[in-house]
Amino acid sequence: MTRISITVDGVRYDDDVEARTLLVHHLRDRLGKVGTVVGCDTSNCGACTVLMAGDAVKSCNVLAVQADGTEIITIEGLAGGDGSLHPVQQAFHDRHALQCGFCTPGMILAAVDLLAENPDPSDAEIREGIEGNLCRCTGYQNIVRAVRDAASALRGAQVAEPASAVDGQMPGTPQAPPAVPSEPESVPVEAVPRPVP
Amino acid sequence: MTTVQERPAGEVGAARKRKEDARLITGRTMWTENITLPGMLHLAILRSPMAHARITRVDTSAALREPGVVTAFSGRDVADTQGSLPCAWPVTEDMVHPDHPPLAVDEVRHVGEAVAVVVARDRASAVDALAVIEVDYEPLPVVLDMEDALAEDARLVHADKGTNKAYTWVFDSGEAGTGQGVDAAFAGAEVVIKRRYIQQRLIPAFMEPRSVVVDPTGDQHTIWSATQIPHILRVMVALVTGTPEHKVRVVAPDVGGGFGGKLQVTAEELIAFMAAQRVGKPVKYTESRSDSLVSAHHGRDQIQDVELAARRDGTVLGLRVNLLANMGAYLGIVTPGVPLLGAFMYNAIYKFPAYRFVCTGVFTNTTTTDAYRGAGRPEATYAIERLMDELAVELDMDPVEVRRRNWIKHDEFPFDTVAGLTYDSGNYEAATDKALELFGYEALRAEQASRRESGDPVQLGIGVSTYTEMCGLAPSRVLGALRYAAGGWETASIRVLPTGKVEVVTGTSPHGQGHETAWSQIVADRLGVPFEDVEVLHGDTRTSHKGLDTYGSRSLAVGGIALVNACTKVIEKARPVAAHLLECDVSDLEFADGAFRVRGAPSDAAGKTIADCAFAVFAAHDMPDGVEPTIDADATYDPGNFSFPHGTHLCATEVDAETGRVTIRSYVAVDDVGRVINPSIVEGQVHGGVAQGIAQALFEEAVYDGEGNLLTGTFIDYTPPSAADLPDIVSDRTETPAPDHPLGAKGVGEAGTIASTPAVINAIVDALRPYGVSDIRMPATPERVWQALRGGARS
Ligand code: FES
Ligand code: FES
């Protein structure tokens, strides 16, 4: 057993862990951070991605002891303390970038990391950047759109996209009824502690 | 089309953002693996490393001495009580139906079969203790290839059955009276195209591994499972284990994708159930990805021998299909029926008059196959769409033109097909014209010609795929005629709460499809309540006691009608209440814009809403005589027919003749799925479906070595595509309403997967035609393409 101290989503946890314990199991089984999930046993799927010391890591590929002294942000700690979604979360919702949602926590955190390194990625760079995260549902197209939107939002420049099929208002098909007011669209999120920057 | 009611203005048709997302994007999701119960123990499963062997000895005693181990047992310990995993679709009377014990008893028949289990205080202890279980195997001969398996002196997967043939199922349009005899059609043919296509074995590869928690401590035994079919699972657990059905509760919490792969009653679910009974404590099992890839059912794996007869003007006269379908080692819940779902689709959108389909199900020492997105229809569509391209080449005709000459015209619906179905509606002309325009077909053909001319080492190929499919499993009488054990109805309940909020209980079981959002849209419009005021409940047999779950693009096509009918019943039950409140006659009332008003009154006149009526029946102080104080309603709907979405997908590939590398340059999908409830969800389904079809064409294959070891047992080897592997696609729609659906909707879950595989392969083959290549095995990896180029150039 080794004593480790890590800060997860703004809360400090001191625990004794076995040397072989993976960070993802420590997060899930010990700290109850079940928002982070496991999709494989070969470090291929990225479902377990968290931010460790600011960088995206596959938490199934890190030993808990290696995380000692670091600060970790999981999907549960990404939204603001007031419940406001992180721009990447908001963009995933707005762009229908998730279906079953199992890949989503890892995908969102991988995207957060990507945008920290490259605030204005091309579509190809987005696709390369999230290559380590598998999604079986979406075909990735809406994920790429969401990351692109989030990049604009994070840069503070609201770049309007040309009208296309993206909003489901497909050219030539009967138009959907007038857009529903956007107000009820905001996702209610329970207050979560904001991670200390 | 006249029966389609006008779409009410409002929610239906709007690209509503999903209700489901709130929890999914913040990590507040209830995956089965997240469940922890007081006293819960963990299960680990020892799996067979052999593809076929006699188990001569199993000794679990050492495991019992490991720290934290509560119990350990093998198949032999439960041989008399464990029962057999169900197959609900005995497709022929004489189908060979071997026993399928959850835990192998005397023999293992594929790598990954469960042999013994350990239950321990935590997962690590359980997994560690597996290592000290001793199993002696006596190897038996392995049979992997379907044609080998059918040979005279074949080694047998089930020796006691005396054959590896599960069944032979035949459809013949001459005999069925749905068309002519196929022999005459071939005798009169000017052109016959004969091909063999291989549908490689695929793995559904849902992202959430399967997981099950069983709690035997309550009055009901509760099973949480990452399943698509909680209702079917409940019935089956009752039947297999003898537990009274009312003592079993099944919950499918948040489920992370299925694609047919979680349409199963699994060994793991029954093993966990047995283990929990044994220890009297809650037990959890979650598979690793490696376990999942080798033990969760696989899909496809068919050999298609197909023959098309035509005249030189392009008119198709008939089709013969001879299919070998790999069952794997056992029969899963619908294993034998999967190829039959394809049997009705080989004629696709075409009018040819003669058709014969013969399917033989074959046992091999491989993981059992079963439904995977499309289930039978992608295979059928692939074969016919490949053949139509070959016919076009043979006749030196444009592949779109060949299709045009044969397809059913929009004014010919409803159309009775040679396979015995009645296609409800469609407009293949409109969808194809739109796709051609969006794709820039003529310009791409011109570019292709010039690149062929100049001998460009990177050739351009254009692939056409026109498809239809059958959604909405299924009219119960059809299922009965096909010997399926259950029906195909679906159910919905609506409860209007005293404050006017609405709970909808659906028998469908979404796992990514967005039913909570789409069903809310439908109910909001029908009852005139806000979208936000509707809560959709599903996947728990305690709240949703009845249903047939989600697969086969049936949820909206069947469950959506049950939902609309339940809404109608609510309105009818509220009507006398409203009349009483408004002190008018029932016949004077009309319900519009969410309120009952006296007919002819202005729309801003005071009326009574559903919420008003809900409160009135809650208080029940002043009810009209003889009226029950409730406006809640249930509806169960059994469809009269399938619905038939269709569309045209076009793919342009660039193929590097030097390296074999294939790049998808553009992809256009025009789908006609009838009226759309939520265009953004529909588009998402198309994207994901197309991605999985492209994955079959280019990337994925489950491969066994000669001993029956799965070589693609991790994501490293199975290679599901990442974002970097897939293109953006252009997705558009035409809308031909479903005449049998009050909302005009058809179904969209599988369309993309069905359409895209032949579009991509047709495009690759089209690029390679100048080199003499006329076919390519899937997945068309660079190596395969390169090999084809070498072989093709020689031939
Ligand atoms: S669970 Fe970590 S990469 Fe798959
Ligand atoms: S949304 Fe299901 S795996 Fe990505």
Side-chain angles (χ1 to χ4, degrees):
Chain A
M1 289 285 185
T2 310
R3 185 115 188 122
I4 63 167
S5 174
I6 56 179
T7 301
V8 182
D9 298 333
V11 177
R12 188 179 128 182
Y13 298 90
D14 294 353
D15 288 281
D16 294 325
V17 298
E18 277 188 64
R20 68 172 179 172
T21 303
L22 298 174
L23 177 58
V24 69
H25 291 141
H26 184 62
L27 289 170
R28 287 183 54 86
D29 300 344
R30 211 50 185 282
L31 308 186
K33 288 284 173 182
V34 291
T36 304
V37 295
V38 178
C40 75
D41 45 11
T42 49
S43 302
N44 287 105
C45 76
C48 61
T49 303
V50 299
L51 299 179
M52 183 167 105
D55 291 327
V57 296
K58 292 179 174 176
S59 62
C60 73
N61 206 17
V62 175
L63 293 168
V65 292
Q66 291 175 292
D68 187 20
T70 65
E71 182 172 323
I72 287 167
I73 295 175
T74 78
I75 191 68
E76 296 172 55
L78 196 61
D82 58 351
S84 60
L85 294 175
H86 185 282
V88 176
Q89 289 172 309
Q90 186 64 48
F92 269 59
H93 177 56
D94 292 345
R95 285 296 190 174
H96 185 33
L98 59 147
Q99 290 178 30
C100 81
F102 195 78
C103 71
T104 306
M107 199 65 87
I108 286 176
L109 290 164
V112 169
D113 184 50
L114 166 69
L115 296 179
E117 273 163 32
N118 182 355
D120 190 13
S122 66
D123 280 10
E125 286 169 333
I126 294 171
R127 287 182 178 275
E128 294 292 331
I130 58 169
E131 196 180 17
N133 291 68
L134 296 177
C135 174
R136 193 61 162 169
C137 296
T138 64
Y140 303 103
Q141 189 158 336
N142 286 348
I143 293 177
V144 174
R145 290 169 175 169
V147 176
R148 202 200 298 145
D149 279 9
S152 314
L154 283 164
R155 289 196 315 273
Q158 205 58 56
V159 180
E161 182 158 324
S164 70
V166 291
D167 288 315
Q169 312 282 333
M170 306 194 182
T173 50
Q175 286 294 300
V180 218
S182 61
E183 204 266 313
E185 302 287 22
S186 71
V187 181
V189 178
E190 286 157 13
V192 278
R194 185 158 190 84
V196 186
Chain B
M1 278 173 235
T2 46
T3 60
V4 175
Q5 297 167 22
E6 261 317 292
R7 174 165 62 188
E11 290 289 345
V12 167
R16 265 287 188 186
K17 293 173 201 168
R18 297 197 320 167
K19 290 185 164 182
E20 293 82 346
D21 292 357
R23 60 183 193 275
L24 296 168
I25 56 178
T26 53
R28 293 186 287 111
T29 321
M30 178 66 101
W31 310 113
T32 302
E33 163 61 11
N34 290 359
I35 293 168
T36 299
L37 299 172
M40 189 176 79
L41 302 171
H42 295 262
L43 178 85
I45 298 180
L46 186 69
R47 296 182 179 277
S48 171
M50 317 279 293
H52 197 190
R54 189 162 295 123
I55 302 172
T56 54
R57 191 178 74 96
V58 189
D59 187 350
T60 54
S61 56
L64 288 169
R65 292 191 293 273
E66 291 294 299
V69 171
V70 178
T71 190
F73 57 96
S74 70
R76 234 163 254 189
D77 299 321
V78 293
D80 297 336
T81 52
Q82 67 173 337
S84 180
L85 292 166
C87 170
W89 204 339
V91 293
T92 60
E93 202 153 346
D94 59 352
M95 184 184 80
V96 172
H97 187 175
D99 260 5
H100 188 183
L103 273 169
V105 179
D106 297 317
E107 209 169 306
V108 286
R109 295 185 176 84
H110 68 86
V111 168
E113 194 168 345
V115 171
V117 304
V118 171
V119 178
R121 62 185 287 188
D122 55 57
R123 183 171 310 158
S125 304
V127 171
D128 287 350
L130 293 180
V132 300
I133 295 179
E134 292 174 21
V135 188
D136 292 345
Y137 296 101
E138 188 181 295
L140 292 168
V142 168
V143 56
L144 300 167
D145 179 88
M146 283 193 278
E147 289 178 307
D148 291 352
L150 293 176
E152 198 64 45
D153 53 349
R155 303 148 169 187
L156 295 176
V157 178
H158 299 275
D160 59 322
K161 300 295 181 194
T163 178
N164 289 320
K165 192 174 92 174
Y167 65 87
T168 296
W169 190 91
V170 180
F171 178 87
D172 186 295
S173 59
E175 289 162 21
T178 56
Q180 303 162 11
V182 82
D183 290 342
F186 276 80
E190 293 166 352
V191 187
V192 173
I193 312 263
K194 189 173 173 182
R195 293 286 186 276
R196 165 169 282 205
Y197 296 126
I198 308 290
Q199 293 289 328
Q200 80 269 36
R201 178 177 281 248
L202 299 177
I203 304 181
F206 36 76
M207 285 309 297
E208 179 209 17
R210 296 174 307 163
S211 181
V212 56
V213 174
V214 180
D215 181 2
T217 63
D219 290 335
Q220 285 184 314
H221 303 281
T222 304
I223 303 170
W224 288 265
S225 182
T227 181
Q228 292 176 230
I229 51 165
H231 297 94
I232 294 173
L233 179 60
R234 181 194 202 189
V235 178
M236 290 300 176
V237 166
L239 293 175
V240 172
T241 67
T243 314
E245 189 182 349
H246 65 294
K247 292 294 180 190
V248 180
R249 171 187 174 203
V250 177
V251 187
D254 284 316
V255 176
F259 317 111
K262 290 174 180 166
L263 195 196
Q264 193 59 271
V265 174
T266 69
E268 292 77 7
E269 286 161 337
L270 283 156
I271 291 169
F273 194 81
M274 280 191 278
Q277 307 286 315
R278 236 176 135 87
V279 297
K281 292 271 197 183
V283 166
K284 172 153 79 180
Y285 171 76
T286 299
E287 67 186 359
S288 68
R289 178 59 59 182
S290 315
D291 279 348
S292 184
L293 292 172
V294 77
S295 64
H297 72 244
H298 294 175
R300 313 279 193 265
D301 204 348
Q302 299 178 355
I303 299 175
Q304 305 170 296
D305 285 312
V306 284
E307 254 181 297
L308 187 80
R311 283 203 301 261
R312 293 219 71 90
D313 67 359
T315 309
V316 177
L317 302 172
L319 177 71
R320 282 197 193 108
V321 178
N322 207 325
L323 198 67
L324 297 184
N326 199 337
M327 308 281 101
Y330 299 99
L331 300 177
I333 186 110
V334 296
T335 302
V338 167
L340 272 53
L341 294 172
F344 300 100
M345 288 285 111
Y346 274 89
N347 54 304
I349 64 171
Y350 309 116
K351 288 192 282 194
F352 57 79
Y355 171 50
R356 183 176 169 83
F357 171 92
V358 181
C359 173
T360 301
V362 186
F363 292 111
T364 60
N365 291 113
T366 57
T367 300
T368 299
T369 65
D370 209 314
Y372 171 51
R373 203 169 193 171
R377 289 105 86 207
E379 298 94 311
T381 304
Y382 181 85
I384 186 69
E385 289 305 289
R386 289 285 298 111
L387 282 172
M388 293 305 278
D389 262 32
E390 295 304 313
L391 179 63
V393 169
E394 176 68 30
L395 301 176
D396 197 19
M397 206 178 266
D398 184 281
V400 178
E401 182 55 27
V402 164
R403 288 167 169 84
R404 233 181 248 287
R405 289 191 186 185
N406 287 284
W407 72 39
I408 303 157
K409 309 230 169 356
H410 71 275
D411 53 6
E412 292 173 319
F413 292 94
F415 186 87
D416 294 333
T417 77
V418 72
L421 298 179
T422 302
Y423 288 177
D424 55 353
S425 65
N427 191 333
Y428 309 144
E429 302 95 311
T432 305
D433 289 347
K434 188 171 208 172
L436 291 171
E437 191 190 322
L438 286 168
F439 190 64
Y441 187 78
E442 293 305 329
L444 280 165
R445 281 285 179 216
E447 182 185 335
Q448 176 183 50
S450 79
R451 281 164 74 166
R452 282 182 177 175
E453 185 86 2
S454 69
D456 193 326
V458 180
Q459 285 289 329
L460 181 65
I462 294 166
V464 181
S465 169
T466 49
Y467 76 97
T468 186
E469 60 132 334
M470 52 204 241
C471 280
L473 277 175
S476 296
R477 64 182 163 78
V478 174
L479 292 176
L482 292 171
R483 303 180 49 87
Y484 180 62
W489 46 263
E490 195 42 85
T491 195
S493 309
I494 294 179
R495 313 167 186 157
V496 188
L497 306 178
T499 57
K501 310 292 181 195
V502 178
E503 282 179 342
V504 174
V505 180
T506 176
T508 62
S509 195
H511 40 282
Q513 293 87 344
H515 296 178
E516 291 165 32
T517 302
W519 281 204
S520 295
Q521 291 179 266
I522 292 170
V523 171
D525 273 0
R526 292 278 150 172
L527 298 185
V529 297
F531 171 79
E532 293 75 15
D533 285 0
V534 184
E535 190 74 18
V536 178
L537 307 174
H538 57 80
D540 180 344
T541 60
R542 189 173 276 181
T543 42
S544 158
H545 71 288
K546 194 174 161 185
L548 286 170
D549 308 318
T550 288
Y551 44 84
S553 305
R554 69 184 303 276
S555 296
L556 177 61
V558 186
I561 299 183
L563 185 61
V564 169
N565 290 352
C567 289
T568 305
K569 285 188 184 178
V570 167
I571 294 165
E572 289 320 308
K573 288 175 88 167
R575 190 180 299 274
V577 179
H580 189 70
L581 293 172
L582 290 168
E583 296 175 353
C584 70
D585 197 79
V586 167
S587 60
D588 291 338
L589 276 186
E590 61 184 2
F591 183 74
D593 303 323
F596 292 98
R597 289 183 192 86
V598 175
R599 207 177 300 277
S603 68
D604 56 354
K608 291 294 171 191
T609 63
I610 291 292
D612 294 333
C613 297
F615 191 80
V617 298
F618 168 69
H621 296 163
D622 182 22
M623 292 290 295
D625 289 342
V627 173
E628 195 185 11
T630 179
I631 59 169
D632 296 354
D634 296 349
T636 300
Y637 177 78
D638 200 331
N641 190 8
F642 298 93
S643 67
F644 297 89
H646 69 84
T648 298
H649 288 210
L650 299 170
C651 176
T653 56
E654 306 222 326
V655 183
D656 188 326
E658 279 158 16
T659 64
R661 191 182 143 86
V662 173
T663 312
I664 295 180
R665 173 164 133 182
S666 64
Y667 193 104
V668 169
V670 174
D671 297 285
D672 190 327
V673 297
R675 289 263 164 87
V676 163
I677 310 303
N678 183 321
S680 130
I681 290 178
V682 164
E683 199 199 25
Q685 288 291 323
V686 171
H687 287 171
V690 167
Q692 284 183 21
I694 292 175
Q696 172 170 18
L698 295 181
F699 303 111
E700 294 177 13
E701 178 168 23
V703 182
Y704 285 93
D705 71 9
E707 258 83 69
N709 297 301
L710 182 66
L711 297 176
T712 50
T714 70
F715 275 163
I716 302 173
D717 313 293
Y718 186 66
T719 60
S722 78
D725 297 319
L726 290 171
D728 261 348
I729 69 165
V730 175
S731 164
D732 205 337
R733 288 188 280 110
T734 53
E735 257 191 34
T736 310
D740 301 323
H741 195 299
L743 298 167
K746 289 190 169 180
V748 69
E750 295 157 296
T753 310
I754 290 166
S756 57
T757 310
V760 175
I761 296 296
N762 277 342
I764 296 171
V765 174
D766 188 50
L768 299 178
R769 295 264 184 215
Y771 302 89
V773 175
S774 63
D775 197 22
I776 182 97
R777 274 281 296 273
M778 296 188 289
T781 57
E783 188 192 342
R784 286 241 171 92
V785 173
W786 193 85
Q787 300 278 9
L789 278 163
R790 297 306 165 279
R794 274 195 304 276
S795 64

